[in-house]
Amino acid sequence: MPHHPLSIPHLTSKIYTAKVMHHRLAPKKHSFWYNVYMFYIDLDEIDLLAEKLIWFSRNKFNLFSFRDSEHLQLPKENPDKAKTTRQHLETYLKGYGVDGTKLKIKLLTNLNVLGYNFNPVSFYFCFDENAMPVCCVAEISNTYREMKLFFFGKEELHSDIFKKITTKYFYVSPFIDHDDSFDFNLKVPADKLDIKIDDIDKTGKKFFFTTLKGDSRPITNANLLKCFFSIPLIPLQIMGMIHWQALRLWLKKLSFHPKAENPELQRNVYKPYKPQTK
């Protein structure tokens, strides 16, 4: 019988129990919040976690599973599915002049739950041998499972916060233009989680505010069960919440931007959506 300790010493991976808040100011006010939990996974600890925890696996069905295919895979004619998420990220970082092979990389994300997952946004925080932040990558996905990456280098690091304003050029919501801008304020996770991503319109005004705030707890078998039963099938609930809030906005008669409009405003998209044809 394998030994499954209540906790695993010396690991840096953890769980955050958190609250997400969305607040829209224009063209009509609309606000809501919901509870979540997210995992902060050291990419070098995934296999150890899978070995030591009952309810966690890698690329296999379990209560919680980390699946490399659900994260960054660089576009190729024949994708190398044997590569890990870390290896794909190292290749991506090389394009920005960063040698990721020597960095500690921690991923803030949702895990696959009972075979299903959806990640609106995940964050890779990268650290040097002195545990100092070097860079960050935001991995944003839409409901079509398309993905876009945003890179943050040392020039965007202010104390322990990565800050950047950049045009989206990506379809995230049918109620926000593709070419509005993101205002990122990504505090390096510690005991507390404090992430802010706001939207700025083409006049330079902020009209949509998003915050993610939470507290850390260790990854243990007991805490995995507590998280699961506190919000069962959380990825499915998040997907349902997105569509429910979209319906509320549609009923408020906000301008609707179909995904097929302005394809030229979608740039550098990974895993592009390909509708099935007969």
Side-chain angles (χ1 to χ4, degrees):
M1 286 287 291
H3 176 58
H4 297 291
L6 291 178
S7 63
I8 307 173
H10 312 304
L11 290 182
T12 60
S13 299
K14 59 183 71 175
I15 304 171
Y16 287 100
T17 54
K19 179 179 290 187
V20 176
M21 186 277 293
H22 294 282
H23 181 54
R24 176 188 285 268
L25 296 179
K28 296 181 180 181
K29 289 186 177 182
H30 183 79
S31 299
F32 64 97
W33 64 269
Y34 53 94
N35 292 318
V36 298
Y37 55 85
M38 295 187 73
F39 293 84
Y40 192 45
I41 302 291
D42 184 330
L43 295 186
D44 293 327
E45 294 178 352
I46 297 173
D47 291 331
L48 180 59
L49 290 168
E51 176 187 346
K52 297 297 184 180
L53 292 170
I54 300 172
W55 310 113
F56 179 96
S57 296
R58 181 176 199 160
N59 298 326
K60 294 180 181 178
F61 181 86
N62 203 334
L63 196 63
F64 294 100
S65 176
F66 180 91
R67 303 204 178 189
D68 291 276
S69 62
E70 293 174 346
H71 294 283
L72 169 64
Q73 290 188 315
L74 296 177
K76 298 178 182 178
E77 290 184 6
N78 297 301
D80 185 353
K81 294 185 178 180
K83 282 190 173 182
T84 65
T85 298
R86 181 184 177 100
Q87 289 170 325
H88 281 292
L89 186 68
E90 288 173 359
T91 302
Y92 173 82
L93 293 176
K94 191 180 297 183
Y96 287 89
V98 176
D99 180 4
T101 60
K102 299 178 181 179
L103 299 179
K104 179 173 284 293
I105 302 172
K106 298 182 181 181
L107 173 60
L108 181 67
T109 191
N110 293 312
L111 294 177
N112 186 292
V113 181
L114 293 177
Y116 181 82
N117 197 12
F118 175 66
N119 266 305
V121 61
S122 299
F123 304 94
Y124 300 87
F125 291 92
C126 306
F127 305 86
D128 64 18
E129 65 275 9
N130 298 315
M132 298 301 294
V134 173
C135 61
C136 176
V137 178
E139 182 182 78
I140 297 181
S141 298
N142 61 25
T143 53
Y144 289 87
R145 309 289 178 162
E146 294 174 319
M147 179 183 293
K148 182 163 182 178
L149 306 182
F150 295 86
F151 175 81
F152 306 81
K154 282 192 173 181
E155 64 278 7
E156 280 112 17
L157 180 61
H158 304 269
S159 183
D160 62 346
I161 302 175
F162 287 97
K163 298 184 179 184
K164 185 175 188 175
I165 296 176
T166 184
T167 307
K168 287 190 309 173
Y169 292 126
F170 186 47
Y171 176 90
V172 178
S173 166
F175 302 100
I176 298 177
D177 288 334
H178 297 28
D179 54 351
D180 284 342
S181 296
F182 282 135
D183 181 5
F184 291 96
N185 282 269
L186 312 177
K187 187 178 178 66
V188 176
D191 290 338
K192 299 284 186 180
L193 184 62
D194 188 1
I195 301 287
K196 299 182 180 70
I197 306 177
D198 301 329
D199 287 74
I200 302 175
D201 66 20
K202 285 175 281 295
T203 70
K205 293 182 178 179
K206 287 188 180 183
F207 69 95
F208 193 93
F209 300 83
T210 301
T211 62
L212 170 64
K213 294 180 181 288
D215 300 296
S216 69
R217 59 175 64 181
I219 291 185
T220 65
N221 288 316
N223 282 340
L224 287 174
L225 286 177
K226 286 179 183 177
C227 286
F228 176 79
F229 286 110
S230 68
I231 314 175
L233 296 174
I234 185 172
L236 196 61
Q237 292 197 37
I238 291 173
M239 180 69 85
M241 178 76 69
I242 290 171
H243 286 90
W244 168 244
Q245 297 301 327
L247 175 61
R248 292 182 63 197
L249 291 171
W250 180 77
L251 292 173
K252 288 185 176 182
K253 302 187 184 302
L254 267 69
S255 297
F256 186 88
H257 309 281
K259 181 179 180 297
E261 284 187 0
N262 307 118
E264 74 282 0
L265 296 181
Q266 290 216 86
R267 303 176 187 176
N268 302 316
V269 175
Y270 293 82
K271 301 182 181 179
Y273 173 70
K274 295 179 181 179
Q276 294 184 353
T277 56
K278 295 182 180 180

